[in-house]
Structures are given as structure tokens and as C-alpha cells.
Amino acid sequence: MNFTGAHILSIGQFQRQDVEQIFSVADRMEPYALRKRVTRVLEGAILGNMFFEASTRTRVSFGSAFNLLGGEVRETAGFESSALVKGESLQDTARVLSGFSDVICMRHPQEGSVADFASASRVPVMNGGDGSNEHPTQALLDLYTIGRELGAKGRTIDGLRIAMIGDLRHGRTVHSLSKLLSLYNNIQVMLISPKELALPENIIEQMRSAGATVTISDELNNSIANVDIAYSTRIQEERFTSKAEADVYRGKFRLNQAIYTQHCEPNTVIMHPLPRDSRSDANELDCDLDDNPNLAIFRQTDNGLLIRMALFALVLDVVDKVDEFSHEVQWYNSRQQ
Ligand code: CP
């Protein structure tokens, strides 16, 4: 695909070669993310970071990625601080904000809302999550992480065995990741969820049509025995009509060190898009895994910076100018000690 000026809305817009191009550019962003070098390539550019639903890492990661390329960030967080509460349409909001920004990132609780917004925007729009639908940049950073974790063991993404665990019905990260995995060969997917929270049938069908082997289970321990990646997800409480309805499923698929040791292969990589629900009645990914070297959750968040920098560089067409506008950092850098 031609990335220049493109919206990034759905995994469906990518071919495998596009994904590999993003990953290749992400690799080149590492000296900047690690603060070995500073680039000013986006000096003067403005990111409109529009989050109308709770977020910590996606919002700050998009903003930090843009800052690391030399650009500036303007933010709106929540409906209450925007004119949407006065009845302004997403389309009018897009027409206005695209006059102020060079690129816009947006999260919104309604499925399809970011695409609606993008249809009226004069600048590229990136989907930071639209309801239960998609979270494409999360899937890209997840697959980039999988590639790096497997690459360290001499493996490739082709042939991956992955378990996806938890609320697969509402979890937009697993929707996008499943679609992304459909671009790769010989993928084996184990879907572990309560029956009511199963991955939507159309996504399962898409993976099977692409040649993936998909197995479905509602039991954790014996289903994580033969996988390279155990990808846990949170019960998406905000998608249920009441907390009580979500509580029925909370804590059903806890993964802790004892279960890992007993049931997983020794080097199974543990992933989660975060936030993990660490409340005692959920504790879906126990803190006793924090010293496990195969816990990749904070490598995922670090890699998210690289992926989002790569997307900005591609969409704003500065990939080959990033190094030209760079210099070494002058300040104390704890990452390099
Ligand atoms: N993974 C993710 O989307 O996290 P936030 O909700 O904190 O952005």
C-alpha cells in the first residue's frame, strides 16, 4: 500500500508486505526510542490526540512517538472536555480538528466511529481503538513483539502457536491480532474463553480460510500446554451492561507462575495488551509472573513506541529523512548504563 497520507483504521487494509515494511521502519526507530539520538524531522507538525475513552498507554505512546520525531501534541481526553457533549457530530469535529493538526489519533467507544471521523478529516487518522471492533496499532505492536521474541530463538512468525485467553468477544486487540495472523502461514490458534465470550465467528472463519488451525476451549490449564505465546486479555467490563454481568467471568482464567510451571512449555512467552486487571477478584495475570523472563508485557509497551513512530514516519513520508535531521543526545541516559 501507499502509506503517504493514508488513514490507519483496520488490519484489513494491510497485505503482509505492508506489515513487514512497518516492522522494518520500526527497527530503524530504535536509536530514537532508546534516546541514543534525537531527531527533529517532524518539527512544526502537530498531532491531534483525541481519546474519547479511557487510555493510558495508547494515548501516551502515540503522543510520545510523535514527540520523539520532533512533533508537538494537542490532546482531548474524554467526552466531557469536548464539544461532543453539546451534540457536535464526529464529522464536524473532524473538519475542525483536521484544520489544526497534521495527523489525528482517535479512540472512541463506538464501533466504526473512527472510520466515520476519518471520512470527514482532511489529514490522516489513526485508529486507537473503536469500541469492540479493532485496535490495529496494538495488533501491530503485538505481532512485532512476537516476531522479536521468536526471532531470539531462531524462529519466525510463520509456524506460530498462540493461545488467546479471556474476553475474546469484546477484546478489540484479539480481533485485530487474529486478522493480522491471517496474513501468515501455518498458524495454530487456541482460543480459550467462556462460551459466551468467544471470538466472533466471522473472525474465526477468516483465520480458517487463510489456512490457520483454530481450536476452541473453555478450559485454561490443558489448553496452554503446546503454545509459543500465551496472550491473556482482560474481561472488558466497560462493554457489559452492568458490572455484575462482567463479574460472572472475572478471574476465570488466571495465569500465575504455578500454573505456568505446571502446564506451559519452559519458554512460552506471556503477553497481554494491558491494562491487566490486578484486582484480587480478577488477577488475570498474576504479579508473581513479574520475575519470569518470558513475561513480555513491558517489552510490548516499549515496542509500541517503535511501531507508532514508524506509522507516523510512513504516513507523513519522512522515513528517509529521520536520520538526516538527527543528532546525539546530550543528557544523562539511564537506558544506556
Ligand atoms: N493496550 C491499550 O489499549 O491500553 P490503554 O487502554 O491503556 O490505551
Side-chain angles (χ1 to χ4, degrees):
M1 69 177 273
N2 179 8
F3 281 97
T4 305
H7 301 306
I8 305 295
L9 299 175
S10 168
I11 292 301
Q13 69 192 89
F14 299 129
Q15 302 294 318
R16 178 167 170 161
Q17 69 209 42
D18 304 319
V19 175
E20 285 169 2
Q21 187 180 357
I22 296 167
F23 290 177
S24 164
V25 176
D27 289 342
R28 292 168 60 182
M29 298 298 134
E30 195 152 34
Y32 303 100
L34 292 176
R35 317 303 200 270
K36 290 180 179 168
R37 294 191 69 76
V38 172
T39 179
R40 307 306 302 163
V41 71
L42 290 186
E43 189 167 23
I46 293 177
L47 164 66
N49 215 16
M50 304 295 138
F51 276 67
F52 299 113
E53 190 179 60
S55 171
T56 295
R57 73 226 78 234
T58 309
R59 180 173 57 83
V60 180
S61 173
F62 269 128
S64 300
F66 207 74
N67 286 150
L68 284 167
L69 290 168
E72 295 188 27
V73 182
R74 297 285 177 273
E75 289 200 333
T76 287
F79 282 105
E80 296 306 317
S81 58
S82 82
L84 291 174
V85 287
K86 302 175 185 172
E88 187 169 41
S89 69
L90 280 176
Q91 287 75 14
D92 279 3
T93 308
R95 288 182 194 103
V96 172
L97 294 177
S98 56
F100 304 158
S101 314
D102 297 281
V103 58
I104 293 173
C105 297
M106 185 174 165
R107 171 173 289 186
H108 192 283
Q110 281 175 348
E111 297 188 13
S113 53
V114 182
D116 285 348
F117 180 94
S119 69
S121 173
R122 291 171 275 167
V123 300
V125 175
M126 296 191 190
N127 184 357
D130 61 323
S132 295
N133 184 33
E134 281 226 37
H135 194 343
T137 65
Q138 178 72 44
L140 287 165
L141 77 86
D142 287 339
L143 193 66
Y144 183 69
T145 303
I146 290 169
R148 285 189 150 197
E149 298 288 324
L150 294 184
K153 299 167 188 160
R155 298 265 312 279
T156 63
I157 296 169
D158 291 318
L160 171 71
R161 304 166 301 159
I162 183 170
M164 297 189 203
I165 304 156
D167 183 355
L168 308 182
R169 175 181 170 196
H170 301 108
R172 56 192 170 203
T173 70
V174 286
H175 298 172
S176 290
L177 182 57
S178 299
K179 294 173 187 176
L180 197 50
L181 289 172
S182 299
L183 300 176
Y184 287 78
N185 300 321
N186 304 319
I187 302 294
Q188 294 178 40
V189 184
M190 174 65 76
L191 301 174
I192 306 167
S193 73
K195 289 184 176 59
E196 300 82 5
L197 302 184
L199 194 72
E201 198 56 47
N202 65 314
I203 302 177
I204 296 175
E205 190 45 47
Q206 182 179 341
M207 285 196 286
R208 285 186 169 142
S209 298
T213 303
V214 182
T215 309
I216 298 170
S217 171
D218 59 2
E219 191 275 333
L220 178 70
N221 293 1
N222 295 312
S223 305
I224 51 175
N226 300 301
V227 296
D228 305 301
I229 306 285
Y231 186 103
S232 179
T233 65
R234 183 176 59 89
I235 300 297
Q236 306 281 300
E237 183 180 307
E238 63 275 28
R239 310 282 175 231
F240 290 79
T241 49
S242 70
K243 180 177 178 299
E245 198 190 331
D247 283 346
V248 171
Y249 305 105
R250 202 187 299 282
K252 283 272 192 286
F253 296 111
R254 296 178 182 206
L255 184 58
N256 59 27
Q257 187 58 49
I259 293 170
Y260 179 91
T261 304
Q262 188 176 350
H263 296 284
C264 290
E265 291 176 358
N267 288 317
T268 298
V269 176
I270 306 158
M271 295 178 61
H272 192 301
L274 302 181
R276 56 176 158 171
D277 188 342
S278 294
R279 290 172 287 191
S280 57
D281 57 344
N283 214 14
E284 61 209 17
L285 209 54
D286 199 300
C287 291
D288 74 357
L289 290 161
D290 286 2
D291 293 330
N292 185 325
N294 294 301
L295 184 74
I297 56 178
F298 302 117
R299 296 194 284 275
Q300 285 172 263
T301 51
D302 285 352
N303 289 336
L305 210 47
L306 302 177
I307 289 294
R308 294 183 174 115
M309 289 175 77
L311 289 170
F312 287 134
L314 284 160
V315 165
L316 297 178
D317 195 21
V318 293
V319 170
D320 292 327
K321 298 193 180 77
V322 171
D323 294 340
E324 186 185 331
F325 287 84
S326 76
H327 58 80
E328 288 186 359
V329 300
Q330 303 302 319
W331 64 82
Y332 170 75
N333 186 344
S334 54
R335 291 174 187 79
Q336 293 178 37
Q337 304 315 306

